[in-house]
Amino acid sequence: MAKFLSQDQINEYKECFSLYDKEQRGKIKATDLMVVMRCLGASPTPGEVQRHLQIHGIDRDGELDFSAFLTIMHSQIKQEDPKKEILLAMLMTDKEKKGYIMATELRSKLMNLGEKLTHKEVDDLFKEANIEPNGKVKYDEFIHKITIPVWDY
């Protein structure tokens, strides 16, 4: 797994994993897997978690060690693609396939659907992505701007 994950990722995963390893045996309960994965920024569905457990031969009442957890996290991260998810969401609102969405419509979607953002959070996002409040938001530019990795100083 070391060739797929950085040492910093492994250390972060180990730290979180250890918080749920209540008996300090190097194992977590299968029922805690989704919570641990989400604490680390992954977004698995219950079905995805169940599939990961089945692949590793772990039932719902079982436990998994850190090695299995690393493999599961790597697999989950590989399958998640925020750029694709954002594009699909934007395409669903663009019935005429124009390649853009109006900023007012995007604001409405961000504040009313899914993980609802506040007015200030949308303002901050628009400012960061250089979006005019009444302008057009081109998908490719918007997705590129909001998915650029943040520098870790």
Side-chain angles (χ1 to χ4, degrees), residues 13-24:
Y13 293 178
K14 182 66 174 171
E15 184 177 342
C16 189
F17 183 92
S18 296
L19 293 173
Y20 289 85
D21 178 12
K22 298 191 178 29
E23 297 176 19
Q24 319 281 272

Side-chain angles (χ1 to χ4, degrees), residues 34-91:
M34 183 167 3
V35 174
V36 178
M37 293 175 76
R38 289 188 173 180
C39 286
L40 291 165
S43 303
T45 65
E48 289 170 334
V49 170
Q50 189 61 38
R51 192 187 79 243
H52 289 307
L53 292 171
Q54 286 174 343
I55 288 169
H56 291 275
I58 302 166
D59 67 26
R60 291 202 61 163
D61 299 320
E63 296 179 316
L64 59 149
D65 63 16
F66 187 62
S67 176
F69 176 72
L70 281 181
T71 304
I72 290 170
M73 280 299 293
H74 170 69
S75 174
Q76 183 67 33
I77 289 169
K78 224 171 49 175
Q79 81 179 30
E80 290 182 8
D81 184 355
K83 291 180 183 182
K84 181 179 170 187
E85 290 177 23
I86 295 167
L87 178 61
L88 288 173
M90 293 184 92
L91 286 172

Side-chain angles (χ1 to χ4, degrees), residues 2 21 29 32 46 74 90 122 130 143:
D21 178 12
K29 294 178 181 178
D32 288 335
H74 170 69
M90 293 184 92
V122 175
N130 296 321
I143 292 168

Side-chain angles (χ1 to χ4, degrees), residues 127-142:
K127 183 178 178 185
E128 186 74 28
N130 296 321
I131 295 171
E132 295 296 321
N134 294 316
K136 294 178 182 176
V137 180
K138 293 183 180 176
Y139 307 148
D140 53 347
E141 293 174 15
F142 178 70

